[in-house]
Each structure stands twice: as C-alpha cells, then as structure tokens.
C-alpha cells in the first residue's frame, strides 16, 4: 500500500519497526510515509475519546491503539453480513412435516 498522500511506495525496513505510520482517513486504513509524517495537515481521523490519530480500521470497526476505544466505521459499504432466515420458513417446514406425517 503506497503513501496515501504522495503515493510513495513502502520499502521493507532492514530491521526493526517500519518508520511508516498507519492511520485511518475517511474510514479507510492508510499509510503515511516518513516524509509526509512531518506535515501537520495529514487530515487523519482521530479518536473521539482521546484524540489520538493512531487508529486502525478493520472489519468495519475503527480501533484506537492509544486508549483501545472501538467504534463502528461509518462506511455505508459495510452492511451487516449476518443473514437472517426468511420469515415463515419454519412454519412452512412444520406444515410440510405435518403433511408427511399425516397430521395435516
Ligand atoms: Zn508520503
Ligand atoms: Zn483513543
């Protein structure tokens, strides 16, 4: 993933932690290269609890790495993935069972 601001490509750090900063901007995980980190208009989302910009976005949630606060991402693209069974199915199944068993 390139730097969201200047498009620079991340190079693998020789050792130790990457100097690239991770953040969340408009509900999207972004990377900021070391050069752009010196700028003060990064326009990153910040934690509503502690104000830190050290956020990670995953699975529709935004988690603060400073205080641990978790909130739902606002993105509408992330709709609920849980699929409820269609209503009335159990009644249909029950009716079919009753027919098979001659209880109708
Ligand atoms: Zn950059
Ligand atoms: Zn926080």
């Amino acid at each position: 993933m390139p730097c969201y601001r200047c498009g620079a490509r991340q190079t693998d750090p020789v050792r130790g932690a990457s100097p690239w900063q991770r953040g969340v901007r408009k509900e999207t995980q972004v990377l900021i290269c070391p050069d752009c980190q010196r700028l003060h208009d990064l326009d990153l989302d910040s934690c509503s609890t502690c104000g830190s910009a050290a956020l990670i976005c995953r699975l529709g949630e935004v988690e603060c790495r400073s205080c641990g606060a978790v909130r739902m991402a606002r993105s509408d693209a992330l709709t609920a993935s849980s699929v409820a069974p269609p209503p009335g199915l159990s009644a249909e199944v029950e009716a079919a069972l009753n027919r098979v068993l001659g209880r109708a």
Side-chain angles (χ1 to χ4, degrees):
M1 190 158 61
C3 172
Y4 89 90
R5 208 170 180 285
C6 70
R9 291 279 170 181
Q10 183 176 21
T11 54
D12 290 330
V14 178
R15 67 181 61 179
S18 168
W20 285 55
Q21 179 188 337
R22 292 198 298 172
V24 174
R25 184 172 179 272
K26 301 188 192 310
E27 313 292 350
T28 306
Q29 186 79 57
V30 296
L31 277 175
I32 306 101
C33 74
D35 287 342
C36 290
Q37 285 174 37
R38 299 196 205 97
L39 303 171
H40 295 287
D41 60 343
L42 290 175
D43 193 24
L44 295 174
D45 289 359
S46 59
C47 175
S48 58
T49 302
C50 71
S52 169
L55 304 177
I56 49 176
C57 183
R58 65 181 180 204
L59 300 175
E61 292 180 339
V62 178
E63 180 180 341
C64 176
R65 294 165 69 199
S66 292
C67 72
V70 177
R71 65 169 172 80
M72 298 301 292
R74 289 188 297 268
S75 173
D76 294 331
L78 296 161
T79 52
S81 59
S82 62
V83 178
L89 182 65
S90 57
E92 275 181 35
V93 170
E94 193 177 342
L97 275 173
N98 285 340
R99 275 197 299 275
V100 170
L101 298 174
R103 286 188 285 166

